[in-house]
Amino acid sequence: MSSASASAGTGFGRDAPPPPTDLLIDGTWRPAASGGTIAVRAPATGELLAEIAAGEAADIDAAVRAARAQFDGGDWSRVSGAERAKLLWRFADLVEEHLDELARLEALDVGRPYAEAFFAEIPLVVDTLRHFAGWADKITGSTFSLPPFAGAERFSYTLREPLGVVGAITPWNAPTMIAAWKIAPALAAGNTLVVKPAADASLSTLKLGELALEAGIPGGVLNVVTGTGTSAGAALAEHPLVDKVTFTGSTAVGTRIASAAGANLAKVTLELGGKSPQIVWPDADLDAVVPVAALSLFANQGQTCASGSRIYVHRDVLDAFLTRLAARADEIRVGDPLAEGTDMGSLINEQQLERVLGYIAQAQDEGATLITGGSRVGDRGCFVQPTVFLGDNTLTIAREEVFGPVGTVIPFDDDDEALEYANGTEYGLTAVLWTNDASRITRFTRALRVGVVWVNAWGPPHPALPWLGVKGSGIGEELGLAGLHANTRLKTVNLLSAPAGRAA
Ligand code: NAD
């Protein structure tokens, strides 16, 4: 592990104004009704970046009512799909024009390296908006060929309609991308939204709200209410005028959201935590595998839901794999997220820093062998070394989501054992297979209880592909056609040629 050099300095962007900090409700910016604010600090330096509005139940209510009125008024829900597509494309273009600014916001606010945000996360926001813009005028139902009903010719079909108001609650780890996953399909389908970003990572979502308005998306279609989870988040999840709650975050909070939304019989999509396995077989080319396996483990400081943090390695290649992974971890440059050359930035906050260091200490107490890393970097900011343990499936770090740069390598002897280990978790988000053996790939892709499988690769989700978790990792789909449909409901229509029973 080495430290990145040369600070690129702070500030919101070259010639960029500071992002909005008020609530976006009904197309206007306003402070929280209570007047309260939340201090936003850069996790890498502790520097005060902004004071954002601390929205509460009254603000959520105002935003939901604005979204409801906008939906019922039809300026968005009933305009042509082509018109919605045009505005979503304009929104995407504006995000692309503000790529540098948004990437800097993400680096400052969340602590992830600027390069990751600039080359991966924000381009995905653009791609997601464009992908769903493409669907906006292609939302169709089905027709059915059915026999006559009570003597009358019958034409039955389904309409696919928007749901109404979507309440979106997002996490801090990839806030701009995950906001786009929720905003783009909901808007393409004709819904209106209230987005509640994580208090630790709201700035880029506020910026998205500003760009949506600038793109010409009518006021009240996309509302952004910042605030804490227990106040603004809970109020949104339980609001009776919300037709769907879409949540990405921890499994513990997700279950609470499901109960709150369930009380109103609102539709729910939950994208929750993960403890994803990578499985490495002896036929894999370890020199090619290790950099990507390490990326899966350490990207975004290990704070990704799909982090491949349990690495099962066939015992025949265990030593070769460990040597390479440790060498790769030691090359990773940890430091200022805005500095050129930084591979890994800061964890989100001090609480997360303490949590991750606690997991590392616990792993050592439980008898895991520390291969590399294991310590905080410096005494300012929330930096942790890329850390690799050798251990077994019983370790707490092999069972619980650490959400930090900490991986466990676990040897296996045969395929049955690897499968049992990989499925032996309460989570079921993603899995990575490193092999070219077709029969293994076929067996494991079917038998793994996860939503997404990568074979010989790991990377960010593509907007065209459904993204989902099973078991403790979630309910419902995002992205792709399935993600679009998750923002619609069907209506069945039976059209008869004459009043039933009186037809000739
Ligand atoms: P979190 O659950 O603490 O918070 C997520 C959001 O919920 C935040 O906006 C928060 O303010 C809000 N919230 C908190 N308590 C609430 C409550 N009682 N009612 C309503 N809202 C509430 O999660 P986090 O720490 O921000 O994010 C990390 C988690 O997100 C990890 O578990 C990670 O795996 C998960 N995640 C999952 C995916 C996925 O696609 N499956 C993607 C990214 C992150």
Side-chain angles (χ1 to χ4, degrees):
M1 188 271 312
S2 61
S3 285
S5 57
S7 168
T10 55
F12 285 116
R14 300 171 191 105
D15 310 320
T21 52
D22 279 344
L23 310 176
L24 176 57
I25 298 177
D26 208 11
T28 61
W29 296 96
R30 55 178 98 162
S34 69
T37 58
I38 297 171
V40 177
R41 293 189 179 278
T45 58
E47 175 198 0
L48 182 68
L49 291 174
E51 296 271 350
I52 56 169
E56 295 179 356
D59 306 292
I60 288 288
D61 186 58
V64 171
R65 286 179 191 284
R68 181 89 254 160
Q70 175 53 256
F71 182 82
D72 293 342
D75 277 358
W76 184 255
S77 56
R78 289 199 288 274
V79 298
S80 71
E83 179 64 16
R84 287 200 299 273
K86 192 174 78 186
L87 295 179
L88 283 170
W89 267 95
R90 206 177 281 160
F91 186 13
D93 290 347
L94 284 171
V95 172
E96 198 167 44
E97 281 168 29
H98 290 78
L99 181 56
D100 169 63
E101 191 182 335
L102 283 160
R104 288 179 74 88
L105 268 188
E106 206 75 325
L108 280 170
D109 197 11
V110 182
R112 87 178 302 171
Y114 169 86
E116 267 186 24
F118 186 86
F119 291 108
E121 183 180 354
I122 310 301
L124 262 172
V125 173
V126 177
D127 290 351
T128 302
L129 288 166
R130 289 187 179 145
H131 176 78
F132 285 103
W135 278 119
D137 64 350
K138 300 170 193 68
I139 299 173
T140 57
S142 311
T143 58
F144 298 80
S145 181
L146 297 175
F149 178 78
E153 285 303 317
R154 165 186 191 149
F155 173 45
S156 293
Y157 59 97
T158 52
L159 295 171
R160 193 171 278 284
E161 299 180 329
L163 295 166
V165 177
V166 173
I169 302 175
T170 57
W172 47 258
N173 69 319
T176 328
M177 183 184 82
I178 290 170
W181 287 9
K182 300 188 183 307
I183 293 169
L187 293 189
N191 301 284
T192 57
L193 276 107
V194 178
V195 183
K196 205 302 281 176
D200 275 327
S202 295
L203 297 179
S204 61
T205 308
L206 289 165
K207 186 71 197 177
L208 286 183
E210 185 182 73
L211 295 177
L213 276 185
E214 194 181 329
I217 292 174
V221 170
L222 172 58
N223 304 275
V224 181
V225 177
T226 50
T228 65
T230 44
S231 178
L236 183 56
E238 69 191 22
H239 200 292
L241 295 180
V242 169
D243 298 278
K244 166 174 174 156
V245 181
T246 170
F247 170 80
T248 300
S250 62
T251 304
V253 174
T255 50
R256 257 178 259 148
I257 298 226
S259 313
N264 298 322
L265 299 182
K267 200 170 169 133
V268 180
T269 298
L270 302 174
E271 301 293 345
L272 307 177
K275 190 73 204 172
S276 295
Q278 307 192 53
I279 309 176
V280 183
W281 278 275
D283 72 300
D285 172 357
L286 296 187
D287 290 328
V289 165
V290 165
V292 190
L295 184 68
S296 163
L297 187 53
F298 299 129
N300 203 14
Q301 297 74 246
Q303 301 169 132
T304 63
C305 52
S307 174
S309 57
R310 295 183 290 146
I311 312 184
Y312 299 106
V313 180
H314 193 281
R315 207 175 290 277
D316 287 355
V317 288
L318 181 64
D319 290 345
F321 182 86
L322 272 179
T323 310
R324 284 169 175 76
L325 183 61
R328 176 68 199 122
D330 292 347
E331 281 168 10
I332 290 175
R333 290 161 298 184
V334 181
D336 178 357
L338 285 163
E340 206 170 314
T342 293
D343 300 310
M344 225 172 81
S346 166
L347 300 185
I348 187 71
N349 55 32
E350 283 180 13
Q351 191 190 353
Q352 188 66 7
L353 174 70
E354 291 310 318
R355 195 169 164 266
V356 170
L357 293 174
Y359 272 116
I360 290 172
Q362 188 176 5
Q364 286 167 307
D365 289 347
E366 290 175 5
T369 307
L370 182 66
I371 302 297
T372 191
S375 301
R376 181 178 181 181
V377 178
D379 53 10
R380 181 168 174 254
C382 306
F383 300 94
V384 172
Q385 291 177 316
T387 298
V388 177
F389 281 101
L390 174 65
D392 62 41
N393 236 19
T394 65
L395 293 167
T396 305
I397 50 161
R399 288 185 285 108
E400 295 184 7
E401 185 179 42
V402 175
F403 230 52
V406 182
T408 317
V409 173
I410 298 170
F412 70 91
D413 291 299
D414 61 46
D415 285 4
D416 288 346
E417 192 177 44
L419 189 56
E420 187 189 321
Y421 286 165
N423 276 337
T425 167
E426 67 186 85
Y427 295 108
L429 192 56
T430 69
V432 186
L433 309 179
W434 296 106
T435 180
N436 289 309
D437 183 320
S439 45
R440 277 197 174 115
I441 293 169
T442 310
R443 176 182 177 199
F444 275 73
T445 48
R446 286 183 195 278
L448 284 165
R449 295 188 60 209
V450 298
V452 177
V453 181
W454 281 94
V455 181
N456 292 325
W458 181 86
H462 190 283
L465 294 173
W467 179 258
L468 65 149
V470 300
K471 302 198 291 185
S473 292
I475 306 173
E477 298 90 22
E478 271 185 330
L479 302 181
L481 182 57
L484 180 82
H485 285 172
N487 282 280
T488 64
R489 70 166 65 87
L490 289 173
K491 181 181 282 171
T492 297
V493 183
N494 294 288
L495 184 66
L496 299 185
S497 59
R502 295 184 50 225

